[in-house]
Amino acid sequence: GGAPPPPPPSPLPPPPRPSPPPPSPRPSPPPAPPSSPFNIPAGGVAVLDGNEHGAKVLFCLFPGDESVDMITDDITRDSSVAMPPRSTIATQCCHKDNGMCYRRIDDDCFSGFSENVFPYISIRRTFPQAAAFCSSQSMDLCEYGCKGKGCAYNSHPVFSKLPCPYQPPSPPLAPGALCSNTCDFRSDGSCDDGGDGSSFGYCELGTDCDDCGSRTAPPPPPLSSPPPPPPSPPPPSPPPPP
């Protein structure tokens, strides 16, 4: 007999599992958009009378008014100042070096020629749009009214880069806040409403708001418990036996 056949070869071990791919890095959050150089500054900007050579302030725009392009009921203004006959705000630009005012280049009025039918001008802009337009023309918004420079903008308010001379509007009071100035000693530099931090207690809480700030109304007193019910009467005595 011959030699026994060789044993069959051992099966190869299975190949190792491939390593899982490394986790993908999280995408970085998008960078915050840069603040536009044409935003309304915190102190507000003045809108001027286009029918003046100088800087007659009609009203102001504050942060939050970026969509305003005309006179509205809630703009911040001096109610004694008369508004122009045409309510939309026109764009005019001034040369950065010599301050020369322009309302048009050749025959192209920056806001379109003003007609006597609302909205009067064909190109309506907000403050950021007007500032960006002037910048695109290598100019700035002006610091005066530019009366007589054409396009019939004398009948309009016009954008400017002048800071607002008025105080910004106060934020709305929280529900339940007390803030009035009916105290006889109001606005004298001393807080007189008797609340926290007050110097005197001559007035009711919340009536010297300029000096004390707004106050929170005190909570109502707790309701008193109702009196206990009267005791039940004793049961009637049984009748005597006959």
Side-chain angles (χ1 to χ4, degrees):
S10 301
L12 293 173
R17 291 184 179 181
S19 302
S24 302
R26 290 186 178 181
S28 301
S35 176
S36 166
F38 309 122
N39 286 344
I40 297 174
V45 290
V47 177
L48 306 179
D49 189 344
N51 198 34
E52 293 283 338
H53 291 293
K56 178 185 176 183
V57 177
L58 295 175
F59 56 94
C60 289
L61 300 175
F62 291 95
D65 292 333
E66 282 79 10
S67 63
V68 174
D69 63 358
M70 62 178 291
I71 299 167
T72 62
D73 290 338
D74 53 357
I75 56 175
T76 302
R77 68 183 182 94
D78 181 345
S79 59
S80 66
V81 177
M83 294 293 109
R86 300 181 184 177
S87 56
T88 39
I89 309 172
T91 302
Q92 57 182 29
C93 306
C94 280
H95 195 281
K96 291 183 177 182
D97 295 329
N98 59 25
M100 182 74 72
C101 179
Y102 296 87
R103 291 178 172 178
R104 64 186 176 191
I105 293 178
D106 297 327
D107 291 331
D108 294 328
C109 293
F110 293 159
S111 292
F113 191 86
S114 180
E115 307 284 351
N116 197 24
V117 179
F118 183 84
Y120 313 112
I121 50 179
S122 58
I123 304 173
R124 296 172 64 172
R125 293 188 181 92
T126 62
F127 174 85
Q129 292 167 341
F133 172 80
C134 289
S135 178
S136 75
Q137 304 298 312
S138 300
M139 291 189 276
D140 279 334
L141 289 172
C142 299
E143 297 182 341
Y144 58 100
C146 307
K147 178 179 179 179
K149 289 293 184 177
C151 299
Y153 295 171
N154 288 9
S155 298
H156 287 264
V158 290
F159 289 111
S160 86
K161 66 176 184 179
L162 284 179
C164 177
Y166 307 146
Q167 289 295 317
S170 300
L173 293 175
L178 303 175
C179 182
S180 67
N181 287 294
T182 55
C183 170
D184 289 342
F185 302 96
R186 63 189 175 275
S187 308
D188 63 356
S190 297
C191 177
D192 301 299
D193 71 355
D196 289 344
S198 60
S199 303
F200 304 99
Y202 298 139
C203 305
E204 292 186 21
L205 188 70
T207 60
D208 190 11
C209 196
D210 281 353
D211 293 326
C212 308
S214 64
R215 300 293 200 180
T216 301
L223 295 174
S224 56
S225 302
S232 302
S237 300

